[in-house]
Amino acid sequence: MPIDDASRPRVAGSVDLTPRQRIAGDHLRMIHDHFRAQLVALTRAVAALRDGTGAVDDVRAGVHGLAPALSAQQVAGMCGQVCRFLTMHHSIEDRNLFPAVATLADYAPVAARLAEEHLVVHAHLERVDGLAVAVAADPARVDELARAVADLRADLESHFTYEEAEMTEPLGLLGLGV
């Protein structure tokens, strides 16, 4: 099931933060922007692989050492890298940020919801990773991989946007860095 935006608890907007208190939220947004860029690159790499064009030079900007065209194995490696880094990012939030934010009663439901959404995102990551491995062995499954990446991007973008909106205040109030 996709993440349901309508059922999310909303708290943001109740506190005026100083510019200094907004730094952690801004940093969180920058981290998410990095993941957004990786997901765009992954989406393009999968599309190029599916289309058989091999013209992915613009996609590979910043991806060191890839050959002129991405093979199924390289796309699988790219999927694995994105999955590992997102899992690490969410683990840090689950272990450190969300428990601290939950100490603020008003924000506890937001922290709990974000932790629940990490489970949804993790299921997407497992699906993408599994399909990336499958495509390396059977390139005919590339359409499945493309759909899985699109589903991941949709839910992850929704999650990031919600997290950025709702976590800036508690991070600033608690003086937490990201």
Side-chain angles (χ1 to χ4, degrees), residues 43-157:
T43 300
R44 288 182 181 161
V46 171
L49 182 65
R50 180 191 61 219
D51 298 341
T53 63
V56 293
D57 287 340
D58 57 329
V59 176
R60 293 178 4 263
V63 181
H64 182 69
L66 292 182
L70 291 176
S71 67
Q73 289 78 15
Q74 289 166 318
V75 170
M78 194 176 196
C79 288
Q81 180 184 38
V82 170
C83 292
R84 281 189 302 277
F85 285 127
L86 275 168
T87 298
M88 181 177 58
H89 170 69
H90 284 167
S91 295
I92 291 167
E93 289 177 338
D94 289 339
R95 290 184 189 130
N96 299 307
L97 293 183
F98 297 163
V101 168
T103 65
L104 301 174
D106 289 345
Y107 297 95
V110 171
R113 177 57 184 260
L114 287 166
E116 289 170 12
E117 289 184 8
H118 283 176
L119 299 176
V120 174
V121 170
H122 184 72
H124 281 299
L125 293 174
E126 287 183 343
R127 180 174 169 225
V128 167
D129 189 50
L131 284 167
V133 170
V135 166
D138 179 9
R141 296 189 67 188
V142 72
D143 286 334
E144 287 178 77
L145 177 59
R147 283 189 301 276
V149 169
D151 292 346
L152 168 65
R153 281 187 67 191
D155 272 354
L156 199 53
E157 180 57 39

Side-chain angles (χ1 to χ4, degrees), residues 7 16-17 21 23 25 30 33-34 55-56 58-59 93 110 133 137 140 162 166 174:
S7 65
D16 286 327
L17 297 176
Q21 288 175 311
I23 290 173
M30 286 187 262
D33 284 346
H34 173 74
V56 293
D58 57 329
V59 176
E93 289 177 338
V110 171
V133 170
Y162 174 62
E166 295 295 329
L174 293 167

Side-chain angles (χ1 to χ4, degrees), residues 6-29:
S7 65
R8 288 172 165 154
R10 304 282 181 178
V11 182
S14 58
V15 177
D16 286 327
L17 297 176
T18 67
R20 183 166 177 77
Q21 288 175 311
R22 292 196 163 281
I23 290 173
D26 292 341
H27 188 214
L28 180 64
R29 194 169 297 102

